[in-house]
Amino acid sequence: QVQLVESGGGLVQPGGSLRLSCSASGFFLDSYTVAWFRQAPGKEREGVSCISSRDHTTSYTNSVKGRVTMSRDNAKNTVYLQMNSLKADDTALYYCAAETYADCGGSRFTARQWKYWGQGTQVTVSS
C-alpha cells in the first residue's frame, strides 16, 4: 500500500522544539521531492518547506526561515522537519507530500501539485 505517514507532533511550549517525520511505504522516497504543508483552523493550507530529490536542496517559507530545517534519510525512506523556537502561530496540522519533481522550484513548491499526501500530525504550541 502506497502511503505517507507523519509522526512526531504534539504539545510543546513556546520556544520549544519538535522533530516531525514523514515515512513512506509502498514506494521509494529517494526519487521524490517532498514538501511539508500545514493548515491551522480557519486558515488556508500553507507550504512550509521542501527538499529536492536531485540534490537535497531545501526551500522554506519566510515565516519559518532560521527556525526550521528539513532533511531526508533515503536509507530510512523518511524525511524530517526539525522545528525550533516554536511559536503559537506554528500551531497547525502538518502534512507531508511527495511528487517525482527533480527540485522544489524555489518558493513555487507551495503551488505545485503533489501526488501523495499523508494524513497529518498535529502540532500545538501553547503554554
Side-chain angles (χ1 to χ4, degrees):
Q1 183 179 2
V2 174
Q3 62 178 351
L4 291 171
V5 178
E6 302 93 339
S7 62
L11 173 64
V12 63
Q13 292 186 343
S17 299
L18 283 175
R19 189 177 80 155
L20 306 185
S21 299
C22 170
S23 297
S25 60
F27 68 105
F28 294 108
L29 265 183
D30 58 349
S31 298
Y32 288 76
T33 287
V34 182
W36 284 97
F37 292 82
R38 66 186 180 185
Q39 188 165 20
K43 295 186 177 181
E44 292 187 356
R45 188 172 63 199
E46 173 189 30
V48 177
S49 63
C50 179
I51 188 165
S52 72
S53 61
R54 180 170 56 192
D55 57 7
H56 298 188
T57 300
T58 53
S59 181
Y60 302 97
T61 193
N62 287 337
S63 62
V64 304
K65 282 182 180 177
R67 301 189 295 119
V68 166
T69 302
M70 190 171 179
S71 61
R72 63 192 304 160
D73 185 340
N74 287 336
K76 294 183 178 180
N77 221 24
T78 299
V79 170
Y80 304 98
L81 187 69
Q82 177 67 44
M83 302 191 296
N84 302 321
S85 302
L86 283 163
K87 307 174 182 179
D89 286 347
D90 295 317
T91 295
L93 188 61
Y94 284 71
Y95 304 87
C96 61
E99 180 53 273
T100 53
Y101 299 122
D103 56 50
C104 296
S107 61
R108 296 190 301 275
F109 78 89
T110 61
R112 286 177 131 179
Q113 298 297 313
W114 298 87
K115 183 175 184 178
Y116 298 124
W117 288 86
Q119 293 300 307
T121 185
Q122 178 67 38
V123 172
T124 302
V125 184
S126 175
S127 56

